[in-house]
Amino acid sequence: MYSFFDTILYPLEWFVAFVMVGFHKIFTAIGMPASNGWTWALSIVGLVILLRILLIPLFVKQIKSSRRMQLIQPEIQKIQKKYKGKKDAESRQKMTEETMELYKKTGTNPFSSCMPILLQSPFFFALFRVLDRLKDIGSGNHHPIGWMTKSLAKQAESSHLFDVQLSASFMHPGDSPMAATRFLTVLLIVIMSVTVFTTQHQLMRKNMPASALDNPLAKQQKYIMYIMPVFFAVSGVNFPIGVLLYWVTTNLWTMGQQFYTIRRMPAPGSAAEKALEERRRAKGKPIAKLSIPGLSSGDGDASAVELAKAKTPPGRPGLVTSDGGTAGKSGGQRVQPKRNNKKRKR
């Protein structure tokens, strides 16, 4: 079992070691000391940034899928209400088939929101294994991984950040001072917990419509908001300082990325969407809401109305036309169409 797991993770370990050493060479070339702990710490930060940049397309898909999921919630509730109280196997199967048909019709993937996290996890474990094996690679008890040769592994393993080795942990400080190791570990765990709590709190407070706060997904995110800090406190004491640094960096990236997304691409019906509409109205820009063709909720018509309202000059309201424009003059009176007799005479 161990050999199989080792075989699966080895390509990722090679990638992690390759990127870390690559960034280490870049920082060394610009004048940073090769054996300095900050040089290796920034190499880990560079690994996180590169990985998150590569995951941006998946993150965009996650946002679009999440917004579609929120738009089709009324339709899902209709399906659930239709089969409410029916516990036979045939009814459950029909409900599942109708739900999957709705997903297919609207192009929604309920599992895409988990993809960035799932794809990050193997790289996280690969980094953990690379840092955990630095001492073995440096002593020759383990073969080199990628560009992580014996000499570089020994250099990385002996590098210090605030007098603490990057391979040291709360439970196993190694040659590092125990007090400094535990203080730095606790500090990084606190930062991790605060960033995760802030990210989840921001998501629930600004980017969720009021109607969605009572569904199972919102309750699950609320549990995550309070459970994750406890998880970090329990599991973080076993991770090396380098892995905790990786986790802190990716949490900070997630928090900043979500702040930008909520401000520019808020969820439909959320407080963030209302704030965006107010900002666009203040700047005189048109407002276009996300809609999915084929839904019975009429979101597409609502988008046209909002767009027309945004285009209508102040003090001169007009009626909304089928193409989303406005008709009529001052006072909102409708102009009757006139018959063109010239074409008929010709």
Side-chain angles (χ1 to χ4, degrees):
M1 183 67 182
Y2 175 78
S3 61
F4 175 77
F5 188 69
D6 189 63
T7 304
I8 293 297
L9 278 183
Y10 181 76
L12 300 181
E13 292 176 18
W14 190 92
F15 173 81
V16 166
F18 178 83
V19 173
M20 278 183 61
V21 176
F23 275 109
H24 181 265
K25 289 183 176 182
I26 293 174
F27 293 133
T28 304
I30 62 176
M32 296 186 68
S35 59
N36 193 292
W38 283 104
T39 308
W40 285 104
L42 289 176
S43 300
I44 296 175
V45 173
L47 168 68
V48 176
I49 294 174
L50 177 63
L51 186 60
R52 295 306 298 265
I53 290 174
L54 294 176
L55 290 176
I56 284 178
L58 284 176
F59 177 76
V60 173
K61 288 185 178 181
Q62 172 192 1
I63 294 301
K64 291 181 178 179
S65 178
S66 177
R67 297 176 74 187
R68 284 176 175 270
M69 282 293 294
Q70 290 174 334
L71 284 176
I72 67 174
Q73 280 302 312
E75 300 297 322
I76 292 178
Q77 292 174 0
K78 288 179 182 178
I79 296 174
Q80 293 173 347
K81 187 177 180 180
K82 178 180 177 182
Y83 295 97
K84 186 178 180 180
K86 300 179 181 179
K87 298 182 179 180
D88 57 291
E90 185 179 356
S91 298
R92 288 198 300 267
Q93 183 179 356
K94 287 183 178 179
M95 184 177 69
T96 304
E97 290 176 354
E98 290 186 19
T99 304
M100 296 305 295
E101 182 64 26
L102 177 64
Y103 288 152
K104 184 178 180 181
K105 182 177 70 174
T106 57
T108 306
N109 184 2
F111 302 107
S112 63
S113 59
C114 305
M115 289 303 293
I117 298 176
L118 293 177
L119 287 178
Q120 272 194 95
S121 300
F123 291 95
F124 172 80
F125 287 113
L127 176 65
F128 176 82
R129 290 164 69 87
V130 169
L131 293 177
D132 192 51
R133 290 174 173 174
L134 287 177
K135 190 172 184 179
D136 293 334
I137 296 173
S139 61
N141 295 327
H142 194 280
H143 56 81
I145 303 175
W147 281 0
M148 188 65 71
T149 60
K150 181 178 178 180
S151 58
L152 283 175
K154 187 180 295 185
Q155 184 186 93
E157 199 270 336
S158 60
S159 63
H160 289 72
L161 186 67
F162 299 113
D163 295 329
V164 180
Q165 289 180 319
L166 293 177
S167 58
S169 64
F170 186 94
M171 302 300 293
H172 304 285
D175 298 332
S176 304
M178 182 177 293
T181 303
R182 293 187 172 180
F183 176 79
L184 184 58
T185 301
V186 171
L187 178 63
L188 292 175
I189 290 175
V190 169
I191 296 175
M192 287 159 49
S193 303
V194 170
T195 51
V196 168
F197 183 87
T198 304
T199 303
Q200 291 295 326
H201 186 263
Q202 183 185 46
L203 179 66
M204 298 188 67
R205 186 169 59 91
K206 292 184 177 181
N207 206 41
M208 273 194 174
S211 59
L213 293 177
D214 294 331
N215 63 24
L217 180 61
K219 294 179 180 179
Q220 181 182 2
Q221 291 177 337
K222 188 175 181 180
Y223 292 148
I224 291 175
M225 185 172 64
Y226 293 103
I227 291 176
M228 287 304 289
V230 179
F231 171 77
F232 286 141
V234 173
S235 62
V237 295
N238 296 310
F239 292 138
I241 296 297
V243 174
L244 295 179
L245 184 62
Y246 172 94
W247 216 335
V248 167
T249 307
T250 193
N251 284 358
L252 289 172
W253 178 285
T254 301
M255 187 173 67
Q257 187 173 250
Q258 182 172 277
F259 176 81
Y260 176 84
T261 304
I262 290 176
R263 183 173 176 83
R264 301 296 296 271
M265 295 185 295
S270 62
E273 186 188 45
K274 295 178 182 178
L276 177 62
E277 291 174 1
E278 291 298 328
R279 291 195 302 269
R280 295 186 71 87
R281 285 195 186 97
K283 295 179 181 179
K285 296 182 178 180
I287 299 171
K289 291 187 177 181
L290 177 68
S291 62
I292 300 179
L295 290 183
S296 59
S297 56
D299 290 330
D301 297 336
S303 302
V305 172
E306 290 293 333
L307 187 61
K309 287 181 180 178
K311 290 182 178 179
T312 305
R316 296 188 62 185
L319 298 179
V320 180
T321 61
S322 59
D323 60 351
T326 55
K329 298 182 180 181
S330 61
Q333 296 178 355
R334 185 172 182 270
V335 179
Q336 296 293 336
K338 296 181 179 180
R339 182 176 298 175
N340 195 346
N341 294 324
K342 293 182 179 180
K343 293 184 178 179
R344 181 170 295 182
K345 290 179 180 179
R346 288 179 183 176

